[in-house]
Amino acid sequence: MMSSDLKTSTQPKPAISATEPDWERETLRKWWEPNRQLLKSIRAYQKWSKHSGPFAPFRKAVATIQYRFWSVVTGAEIPLNSQISGGLLLPHPNGIVIHPKASIGPNCLIFQQVTITGYVQIGGHVDIGAGAKILRKVKIGNHVKIGANAVVLSDIPSYATAVGIPARIIQQTVAESDDSSDMLEDD
């Protein structure tokens, strides 16, 4: 695909933030929501790992037991020490594998059978389609869409849509009043 084939358009700034987590997206609506229960147990473990006191080890142990239960129910492999910002949605968490060194920004959406390897940096409000694989040390910008079964091997700039094996950018939009950086900053 030549660069002249790349579709570029201008659209209004997305309503979902790439910087501020929307915690409402993770809120339990009923007890049997394994996807949200799994995230709740990970958040509880991380919270109690930072606390000290007589009850902290007990609460941390309870969160670990809950995490193990919900990991089995969902079939997801998301480590307790994951670097996941708030507002993550996992509609069907079956088969999701996230490396503990991967970093996921706020308000992302990850569908089933997604694999994210180590040292991947995912920006805010990124939608990852079912079966997608994000391999190597790559950076994915804000407001990106990754198609189902895509294999990402290189960086993807903000506001892009990538599909295919290997993933190619098929569309990149430019927000009218975007105040965020084009790509994530280097460490």
Side-chain angles (χ1 to χ4, degrees):
M1 178 185 300
M2 297 180 61
S3 61
S4 61
D5 296 337
L6 182 68
K7 294 180 184 178
T8 304
S9 62
T10 303
Q11 67 180 25
K13 192 172 182 179
I16 299 175
S17 174
T19 56
E20 297 297 320
D22 180 4
W23 292 102
E24 184 66 28
R25 292 164 55 114
E26 291 185 19
T27 303
L28 286 172
R29 290 171 178 79
K30 54 188 175 189
W31 184 80
W32 190 258
E33 287 187 305
N35 53 345
R36 289 187 169 100
Q37 289 282 15
L38 177 63
L39 288 173
K40 179 182 168 187
S41 65
I42 291 170
R43 304 278 186 217
Y45 176 86
Q46 292 174 349
K47 172 187 171 185
W48 291 108
S49 292
K50 295 175 186 173
H51 283 77
S52 60
F55 296 112
F58 173 73
R59 301 288 277 239
K60 188 174 163 183
V62 169
T64 302
I65 292 167
Q66 291 174 336
Y67 161 78
R68 289 184 180 167
F69 174 79
W70 292 113
S71 290
V72 169
V73 169
T74 61
E77 291 184 32
I78 304 173
L80 281 169
N81 58 346
S82 297
Q83 301 170 33
I84 300 173
S85 296
L88 178 64
L89 283 181
L90 306 170
H92 306 286
N94 175 282
I96 293 176
V97 178
I98 299 176
H99 192 277
K101 301 272 187 205
S103 172
I104 300 175
N107 304 325
C108 289
L109 171 67
I110 302 175
F111 282 98
Q112 67 270 21
Q113 302 297 323
V114 169
T115 300
I116 302 171
T117 60
Y119 302 102
V120 170
Q121 289 184 337
I122 298 175
H125 187 228
V126 175
D127 296 345
I128 304 173
K133 310 294 181 245
I134 303 175
L135 309 174
R136 299 186 185 164
K137 183 179 178 179
V138 298
K139 293 181 182 179
I140 298 173
N142 297 327
H143 305 289
V144 169
K145 294 180 180 107
I146 299 173
N149 295 316
V151 178
V152 179
L153 301 173
S154 60
D155 293 351
I156 300 176
S158 293
Y159 297 96
T161 300
V163 298
I165 303 173
R168 292 185 186 91
I169 298 171
I170 60 166
Q171 182 178 15
Q172 185 169 3
T173 57
V174 180
E176 291 175 353
S177 60
D178 184 23
D179 57 0
S180 64
S181 64
D182 185 43
M183 290 291 287
L184 301 173
E185 288 88 32
D186 288 333
D187 289 324

